[in-house]
């Protein structure tokens, strides 16, 4: 449960940066996910999935 809350908060933080600046969702979310201990492959896959949805 703690992991889910941390992942949700990192997504919220990345979305706030993206909404406020209009950029940097991938950089922010990847950095936060790596800081939380997510594997680099999983963090990278999350960023790519977000990028493909926004097109």
């Amino acid at each position: 449960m703690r992991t889910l809350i941390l992942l949700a908060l990192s997504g919220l933080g990345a979305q706030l940066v993206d909404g406020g600046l209009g950029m940097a969702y991938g950089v922010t979310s990847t950095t936060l996910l790596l800081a939380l201990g997510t594997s680099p492959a999983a963090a990278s896959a999350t960023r790519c999935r977000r990028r493909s949805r926004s097109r």
Side-chain angles (χ1 to χ4, degrees):
M1 186 64 170
R2 181 174 185 257
T3 304
L4 179 62
I5 292 170
L6 288 174
L7 291 174
L9 288 175
S10 68
L12 174 66
Q15 191 61 44
L16 287 173
V17 170
D18 184 41
L21 300 176
M23 59 182 193
Y25 178 85
V27 174
T28 308
S29 65
T30 301
T31 303
L32 291 173
L33 288 173
L34 290 174
L36 290 173
T38 306
S39 70
S44 177
T46 302
R47 186 185 73 221
C48 292
R49 189 169 54 236
R50 163 71 177 166
R51 189 181 298 160
S52 66
R53 265 193 265 152
S54 65
R55 289 184 183 179

